[in-house]
Amino acid sequence: SGEEVAGVTIYAEHDQVQKVDVPGLWNTTLLGYVNGKVYIDASTAQDATTSLYQWTPGDSNVTQLKAVPQAMAVSSVGTAGSLTTLADQNSCSSLLTVPIGKRLWRTCDYQIRGFTPDASTVIGGPRAQDGYGDGVAAALDARSGSLLHEWIGVFRQVVAEDDQHLLLLADDGQDTPASIIRCTIATGHCELATPL
């Protein structure tokens, strides 16, 4: 009928496929499979604020980590990006420890969207999203939150290729050819990684 219903089934595969059914969760976003644990962001009611959940494949339950609200990304070293303030023109995100939620630093210039595999670099997006694509991609030092490099364009997705490079899916707007651009974190230099 198209009606939204609560509940999620989480799958993980290592040597074999494991799954867990979690009734009653809404607004579920998969954040990653890190160090043998699956992390999702979800809420207990349709209109409630989300928080981080952790599941170890093989366990029959997930654990809610209430100290990490509105999680956006989880790193390999036990930190998470959390959207701590959400406003039209002034959103802020914080780097928090998992599971206790201790704030390491905060930025109101970027949203924390991801990490390099070694978690030394934070992938940042614009502090506010406006629909089709992001106009900014950034690399931040994970220890301090200081800006390493910022790239301007139309980016539909930004992910880490490895500890030293980001891959940016870029184009000039809807219905234009897209390409992947590889940017070096240390220098900010970018190159075309795929044809248009």
Side-chain angles (χ1 to χ4, degrees):
S1 68
E3 179 183 356
E4 291 186 49
V5 294
V8 63
T9 301
I10 305 169
Y11 294 88
E13 182 177 5
H14 186 62
D15 294 329
Q16 60 183 2
V17 176
Q18 304 275 346
K19 79 172 193 169
V20 64
D21 293 314
V22 190
L25 288 186
W26 294 88
N27 309 308
T28 306
T29 302
L30 175 66
L31 299 180
Y33 187 29
V34 182
N35 298 329
K37 297 180 188 299
V38 177
Y39 291 93
I40 63 170
D41 185 62
S43 59
T44 55
Q46 192 169 12
D47 298 323
T49 300
T50 62
S51 64
L52 187 63
Y53 286 79
Q54 173 185 287
W55 174 59
T56 302
D59 288 356
S60 59
N61 294 308
V62 299
T63 303
Q64 183 181 17
L65 307 176
K66 292 181 181 180
V68 185
Q70 299 187 133
M72 300 188 66
V74 177
S75 80
S76 61
V77 297
T79 56
S82 171
L83 190 60
T84 48
T85 305
L86 180 60
D88 288 340
Q89 300 300 320
N90 194 26
S91 297
C92 299
S93 56
S94 297
L95 187 67
L96 306 178
T97 60
V98 174
I100 62 172
K102 177 184 176 189
R103 186 167 80 184
L104 302 176
W105 50 263
R106 175 181 165 186
T107 177
C108 294
D109 296 321
Y110 305 97
Q111 285 184 13
I112 297 172
R113 302 275 183 83
F115 299 90
T116 54
D118 67 358
S120 65
T121 304
V122 170
I123 301 169
R127 65 183 180 183
Q129 292 178 291
D130 60 1
Y132 174 73
D134 295 337
V136 172
L140 309 171
D141 186 313
R143 290 170 300 204
S144 64
S146 61
L147 179 65
L148 300 173
H149 287 286
E150 180 182 82
W151 297 274
I152 306 296
V154 179
F155 307 119
R156 285 191 262 162
Q157 188 175 10
V158 180
V159 298
E161 179 181 36
D162 54 34
D163 295 334
Q164 288 83 36
H165 300 92
L166 299 182
L167 297 176
L168 293 77
L169 179 60
D171 59 33
D172 288 331
Q174 290 182 330
D175 301 322
T176 63
S179 185
I180 297 173
I181 299 169
R182 177 184 294 109
C183 296
T184 304
I185 294 168
T187 64
H189 174 75
C190 298
E191 63 186 357
L192 200 60
T194 64
L196 288 177

